[in-house]
Amino acid sequence: MKWLDRLFGGPKNMAALPAGTKAPDFSLPAVFSGKDGGNFSLQAALQHGPVLAAFFKVSCPVCQYTLPYLQRIHKAHGDQKVTIVGISQDNQRDTDAFLKAYGVTFRTLLDDPNGYAVSNAYGLTNVPSLFLIGQDSQIEISSVGWVKQEVEDINRKLADTQKTTLPPIFQPGEEVRDFRAG
């Protein structure tokens, strides 16, 4: 495989940062429904509790599938002792349209104006990519694509953090896939 790396300029399928890795710090502009949301700082958010960072692209069908479930997690947990933040790889106009179309109300950041600096720092090759970051800045859960079990694990960890009962994120009778590649 080394000769392939030389031929094509190095490995191309770098995995997202795994659990147990220190999360790179970042600050990005926040938007919501066309309104400037100021800047978001990971370190400032971690002062209040863990952060769930969800990287996405508006044209990604798996992102379109995933973010409404993350919205349910947001509604269940709110921003009490946890921060849920979307990180869009698109411009503000397209991101605003996506948020409206999919009913996403949690804070969303723009990585596009920064040349994807944060996406690159987190080793993204696919979206959606989810990172549950503990208050110690360690990535507790790293999930790429749609993995139902990992989304359930995130929900469980957030409930444990808030010392609340586990809220359901899937509706009775709802057909929810176990896996979809990002």
Side-chain angles (χ1 to χ4, degrees):
M1 285 300 211
K2 295 265 187 221
W3 67 272
L4 281 175
D5 289 348
R6 278 189 303 244
L7 181 64
F8 293 107
K12 299 296 183 200
N13 291 325
M14 188 171 83
L17 293 178
T21 304
K22 183 176 180 0
D25 190 21
F26 64 87
S27 181
L28 287 173
V31 298
F32 180 71
S33 299
K35 299 175 190 166
D36 178 13
N39 273 332
F40 173 90
S41 162
L42 176 62
Q43 283 306 309
L46 289 173
Q47 304 280 327
H48 305 290
V51 172
L52 174 59
F55 291 81
F56 71 97
K57 197 149 186 59
V58 302
S59 61
C60 163
V62 181
C63 299
Q64 296 164 4
Y65 185 84
T66 302
L67 265 66
Y69 290 111
L70 298 182
Q71 175 63 29
R72 290 180 187 178
I73 291 174
H74 171 69
K75 285 181 81 172
H77 297 285
D79 279 330
Q80 298 164 20
K81 294 180 185 173
V82 64
T83 301
I84 299 173
V85 63
I87 302 174
S88 174
Q89 294 180 336
D90 295 284
N91 64 41
Q92 182 172 342
R93 186 188 81 239
D94 293 342
T95 299
D96 283 341
F98 178 92
L99 298 175
K100 186 175 181 182
Y102 291 92
V104 175
T105 62
F106 50 82
R107 181 180 282 180
T108 301
L109 315 176
L110 298 177
D111 198 21
D112 177 34
N114 296 325
Y116 311 108
V118 178
S119 295
N120 290 332
Y122 279 73
L124 266 59
T125 56
N126 297 64
V127 287
S129 288
L130 311 176
F131 299 91
L132 181 59
I133 305 165
Q135 283 189 273
D136 60 358
S137 295
Q138 295 297 307
I139 297 173
E140 295 179 4
I141 297 175
S142 176
S143 180
V144 178
W146 168 261
V147 182
K148 182 181 177 186
Q149 182 60 55
E150 291 171 350
V151 172
E152 290 174 324
D153 292 345
I154 289 168
N155 188 39
R156 188 173 302 102
K157 275 197 173 254
L158 295 178
D160 290 348
T161 296
Q162 296 186 79
K163 296 177 179 31
T164 61
T165 57
L166 184 65
I169 53 172
F170 306 117
Q171 306 298 320
E174 182 176 47
E175 188 173 322
V176 181
R177 296 176 108 177
D178 289 331
F179 174 78
R180 289 184 74 178

